[in-house]
């Protein structure tokens, strides 16, 4: 039925607006409509170019008064007795919204709606019809404050630099479209802009330095594009910024030290780029940071010590960064932490037992590292996390089978310890005296009174049963 309706509409397409407009009586336009004729006709033309409903004009001859439509909002302007369209929204979330037609377009008649403050089109340009934004749509006379064009895969071409004419713009969201080309540097002229979301497109080139001039910006989302080059240091000037998401791009170079000036920042996501280390210590100034994600970048350093001082952290993602060295004990003081991902690195030493005391931690991934020694997390903690605790592929981790006899299922990949001392983060002492630790060769060592016991073991294990454990032991006792 929808297909038949669509075919009939295409046949009548060229006559739709012309045949509909005369059906609205002049007396109605001048009287009960409370709108200027020119503005009402312009609205009919815009909706006729968007919607797959040839009866829309008949059903809504007075869209601001007697026959309202949920996607249209009208207001009185001071000093004027007429109503003016201030908001136009088309999308599946609006009740009784007819679907956009297959050859929908954004008409230049929208320029005849001089009081329009909000324009939002969701899921309207769906088919790959190569619809682009005309640079003529955006002029200095516009009072537009919010422009939201989202989930329109058929919307392609360059982002027009003429958007810079929208000097009152506070929200610019062009997410989940098919825009390509670079980010216009002219966007840096939108001094009142508070939200800039260009995510999920095919944008290329570098992030313009001029973006750093948007000092009112609270949200910057450029994720899921093909942006390259280094992050401009000017981003550190975005003093009001609360969210910065540059993930899933091709950015390289270092994290600018100036990002430490973003004291209001709550989320920083730089995941899935080619950013190299070290991570600058200036980020220790981000005292309000709750989400720090820099996964899958070639950082290749120790975990920065300052991370353990970011007390408001809720989520910390450092997976796949080539990190080495121990897991800092200071992580045990991140009392608000809910998720910690350190997998796919080269971390060594033991698992800090104080991680098990974090009251809100609900996910801990330490898999695919070089961690060693006996796991000493509390049974209550292991039970609470269950399979959200991942310690697999750490060949020298082991468990006290008696202590965790009912929890080995959750500690997959960790074999039982066989009378071996716990590994620590202390270096192996190769001089006389007491001490314990892990040698450079991977041996676990322990002092035993007059002499030293060196135990080296090689083994294959099945975490579910001790009977599958095989070991070779070499014991040398010397005095």
């Amino acid at each position: 039925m929808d297909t038949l309706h669509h075919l009939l509409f295409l046949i009548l397409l060229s006559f739709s607006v012309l045949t509909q407009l005369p059906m609205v009586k002049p007396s109605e336009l001048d009287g009960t409509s409370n709108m200027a004729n020119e503005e009402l006709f312009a609205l009919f033309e815009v909706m006729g170019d968007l919607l797959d409903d040839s009866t829309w004009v008949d059903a809504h001859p007075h869209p601001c008064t007697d026959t309202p439509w949920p996607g249209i909002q009208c207001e009185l302007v001071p000093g004027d007795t007429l109503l003016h369209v201030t908001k136009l929204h088309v999308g599946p979330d609006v009740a009784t919204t007819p679907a956009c037609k297959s050859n929908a377009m954004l008409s230049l008649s929208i320029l005849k709606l001089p009081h329009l403050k909000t324009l939002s089109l969701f899921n309207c340009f769906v088919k790959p019809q190569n619809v682009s934004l005309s640079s003529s749509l955006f002029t200095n006379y516009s009072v537009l404050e919010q422009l939201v064009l989202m989930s329109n895969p058929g919307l392609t071409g360059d982002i027009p630099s003429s958007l810079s004419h929208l000097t009152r713009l506070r929200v610019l969201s062009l997410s989940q479209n098919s825009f390509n080309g670079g980010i216009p540097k002219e966007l840096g002229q939108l001094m009142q802009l508070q939200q800039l979301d260009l995510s999920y497109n095919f944008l290329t080139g570098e992030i313009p330095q001029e973006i750093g001039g948007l000092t009112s910006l609270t949200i910057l989302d450029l994720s899921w594009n093909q942006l390259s080059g280094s992050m401009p240091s000017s981003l550190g000037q975005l003093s009001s910024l609360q969210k910065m998401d540059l993930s899933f791009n091709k950015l390289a170079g270092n994290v600018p030290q100036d990002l430490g000036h973003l004291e209001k920042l709550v989320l920083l996501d730089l995941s899935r780029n080619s950013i190299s280390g070290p991570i600058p210590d200036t980020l220790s100034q981000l005292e309000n940071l709750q989400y720090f994600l820099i996964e899958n970048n070639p950082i290749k350093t120790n975990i920065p010590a300052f991370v353990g001082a970011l007390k408001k952290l809720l989520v910390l993602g450092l997976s796949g960064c080539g990190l080495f060295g121990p897991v800092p004990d200071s992580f045990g003081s991140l009392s608000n932490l809910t998720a910690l991902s350190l997998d796919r690195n080269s971390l060594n030493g033991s698992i800090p037992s104080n991680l098990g005391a974090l009251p809100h931690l609900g996910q801990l991934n330490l898999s695919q590292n070089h961690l060693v020694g006996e796991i000493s997390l509390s049974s209550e903690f292991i039970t609470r996390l269950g399979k959200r605790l991942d310690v697999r592929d750490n060949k020298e981790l082991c468990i006290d089978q008696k202590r965790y006899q009912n929890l080995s299922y959750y500690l997959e990949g960790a074999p039982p310890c066989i009378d071996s001392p716990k590994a620590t983060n202390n270096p192996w002492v190769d001089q006389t005296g007491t001490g314990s630790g892990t040698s450079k060769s991977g041996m676990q060592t322990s002092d035993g009174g007059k002499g030293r016991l060196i135990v080296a073991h090689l083994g294959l294990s099945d975490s579910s049963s001790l009977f599958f454990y095989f070991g070779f032991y070499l014991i040398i006792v010397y005095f």
Side-chain angles (χ1 to χ4, degrees), residues 183 197-203 207 220-228 231 235 243-252 267-275 291-297 317:
I183 300 174
D197 186 354
L198 306 179
S199 61
Y200 291 89
N201 281 285
F202 300 96
L203 300 175
I207 301 174
L220 175 62
D221 192 343
L222 306 178
S223 62
W224 289 89
N225 280 288
Q226 300 173 16
L227 300 172
S228 58
M231 298 169 57
L235 295 180
K243 171 187 175 180
M244 179 188 292
D245 190 348
L246 307 180
S247 61
F248 289 85
N249 278 289
K250 299 179 180 179
L251 299 173
L267 181 147
L268 177 59
D269 191 347
L270 306 176
S271 302
R272 298 277 180 176
N273 281 287
S274 297
I275 297 170
Y291 301 86
F292 184 24
L293 304 167
I294 196 168
E295 299 174 325
N296 295 286
N297 283 284

Side-chain angles (χ1 to χ4, degrees), residues 89-330:
H89 170 68
V90 178
D93 57 318
V94 179
T96 68
T97 300
C100 288
K101 55 189 178 184
S102 60
N103 60 341
M105 60 176 291
L106 189 55
S107 171
L108 289 175
S109 294
I110 204 165
L111 297 174
K112 298 177 183 179
L113 302 177
H115 300 280
L116 191 65
K117 295 180 181 179
T118 298
L119 174 61
S120 57
L121 304 177
F122 285 70
N123 201 34
C124 197
F125 311 106
V126 179
K127 295 185 178 180
Q129 51 186 316
N130 295 324
V131 175
S132 59
L133 289 181
S134 170
S135 60
S136 302
L137 288 168
F138 312 108
T139 70
N140 292 322
Y141 302 103
S142 174
V143 297
L144 206 61
E145 297 178 359
Q146 298 187 50
L147 177 59
V148 181
L149 308 177
M150 294 182 62
S151 301
N152 297 287
L155 193 56
T156 184
D158 294 335
I159 296 175
S161 59
S162 60
L163 285 171
S164 61
H165 296 154
L166 306 178
T167 55
R168 300 189 185 187
L169 205 62
R170 294 184 292 107
V171 175
L172 177 58
S173 180
L174 304 178
S175 178
Q176 301 176 51
N177 298 302
S178 297
F179 288 114
N180 49 50
I183 300 174
K185 64 180 182 181
E186 290 82 2
L187 296 185
Q189 301 172 23
L190 299 174
M191 301 308 298
Q192 296 191 43
L193 198 64
Q194 297 175 14
Q195 299 180 26
L196 176 59
D197 186 354
L198 306 179
S199 61
Y200 291 89
N201 281 285
F202 300 96
L203 300 175
T204 57
E206 299 185 357
I207 301 174
Q209 286 276 355
E210 289 79 3
I211 296 297
L214 302 175
T215 54
S216 297
L217 208 62
T218 60
I219 294 176
L220 175 62
D221 192 343
L222 306 178
S223 62
W224 289 89
N225 280 288
Q226 300 173 16
L227 300 172
S228 58
S230 300
M231 298 169 57
S233 59
S234 63
L235 295 180
Q237 301 171 17
L238 302 175
S239 56
S240 300
L241 203 64
Q242 298 177 27
K243 171 187 175 180
M244 179 188 292
D245 190 348
L246 307 180
S247 61
F248 289 85
N249 278 289
K250 299 179 180 179
L251 299 173
N254 301 111
V255 177
Q257 294 188 5
D258 292 345
L259 292 193
H261 298 152
L262 306 179
E263 297 180 357
K264 296 181 180 180
L265 201 63
V266 174
L267 181 147
L268 177 59
D269 191 347
L270 306 176
S271 302
R272 298 277 180 176
N273 281 287
S274 297
I275 297 170
S276 54
I279 301 173
D281 290 340
T282 55
L283 298 192
S284 62
Q285 303 171 43
L286 304 181
E287 296 180 354
N288 291 301
L289 197 64
Q290 297 180 20
Y291 301 86
F292 184 24
L293 304 167
I294 196 168
E295 299 174 325
N296 295 286
N297 283 284
I299 304 299
K300 297 182 179 180
T301 65
N302 292 84
I303 297 177
F306 73 81
V307 176
L310 299 175
K311 301 301 183 183
K312 293 186 178 181
L313 275 182
L314 298 176
V315 177
L316 176 59
L318 300 173
S319 305
C321 289
L323 300 172
F324 49 81
V327 178
D329 288 331
S330 59

Side-chain angles (χ1 to χ4, degrees), residues 199-473:
S199 61
Y200 291 89
N201 281 285
F202 300 96
L203 300 175
T204 57
E206 299 185 357
I207 301 174
Q209 286 276 355
E210 289 79 3
I211 296 297
L214 302 175
T215 54
S216 297
L217 208 62
T218 60
I219 294 176
L220 175 62
D221 192 343
L222 306 178
S223 62
W224 289 89
N225 280 288
Q226 300 173 16
L227 300 172
S228 58
S230 300
M231 298 169 57
S233 59
S234 63
L235 295 180
Q237 301 171 17
L238 302 175
S239 56
S240 300
L241 203 64
Q242 298 177 27
K243 171 187 175 180
M244 179 188 292
D245 190 348
L246 307 180
S247 61
F248 289 85
N249 278 289
K250 299 179 180 179
L251 299 173
N254 301 111
V255 177
Q257 294 188 5
D258 292 345
L259 292 193
H261 298 152
L262 306 179
E263 297 180 357
K264 296 181 180 180
L265 201 63
V266 174
L267 181 147
L268 177 59
D269 191 347
L270 306 176
S271 302
R272 298 277 180 176
N273 281 287
S274 297
I275 297 170
S276 54
I279 301 173
D281 290 340
T282 55
L283 298 192
S284 62
Q285 303 171 43
L286 304 181
E287 296 180 354
N288 291 301
L289 197 64
Q290 297 180 20
Y291 301 86
F292 184 24
L293 304 167
I294 196 168
E295 299 174 325
N296 295 286
N297 283 284
I299 304 299
K300 297 182 179 180
T301 65
N302 292 84
I303 297 177
F306 73 81
V307 176
L310 299 175
K311 301 301 183 183
K312 293 186 178 181
L313 275 182
L314 298 176
V315 177
L316 176 59
L318 300 173
S319 305
C321 289
L323 300 172
F324 49 81
V327 178
D329 288 331
S330 59
F331 279 13
S333 64
L334 298 175
S335 57
N336 294 307
L337 205 62
T338 61
L340 175 59
S341 299
L342 301 175
D343 53 292
R344 293 177 291 113
N345 285 295
S346 298
L347 299 172
N348 52 39
S350 61
I351 299 175
S353 59
N354 57 6
L355 291 180
L358 294 175
H360 303 295
L361 193 62
Q363 178 177 331
L364 176 59
N365 193 342
L366 301 171
S367 64
Q368 300 181 57
N369 280 288
H370 304 306
L371 300 172
V372 301
E374 182 181 324
I375 296 174
S376 56
L377 300 170
S378 70
S379 297
E380 184 276 333
F381 176 79
I382 295 173
T383 302
R384 173 159 57 89
L385 264 66
K387 280 298 184 178
R388 289 169 292 151
L389 170 62
D390 194 345
V391 297
R392 292 174 297 173
D393 297 322
N394 287 279
K395 295 181 180 179
E396 296 190 43
L397 274 183
C398 64
I399 60 172
D400 183 332
Q401 192 177 36
K402 182 177 181 180
R403 179 181 179 185
Y404 299 126
Q405 58 181 341
N406 297 321
L407 300 174
S408 59
Y409 173 74
Y410 299 131
L411 298 171
E412 181 181 355
C417 301
I418 300 185
D419 297 329
S420 59
K422 298 179 182 178
T424 71
N425 288 332
N426 298 324
W428 179 47
V429 180
D430 194 26
Q431 293 83 18
T432 59
T434 61
S436 65
T438 304
S439 72
K440 295 180 180 178
S441 64
M443 294 182 177
Q444 295 187 9
T445 66
S446 173
D447 283 332
K450 298 180 181 179
R452 173 171 297 165
L453 178 67
I454 302 177
V455 180
H457 64 273
L458 303 171
L460 301 173
S461 69
D462 182 326
S463 60
S464 62
S465 174
L466 179 61
F467 293 105
F468 291 94
Y469 187 87
F470 169 77
F472 172 75
Y473 301 91

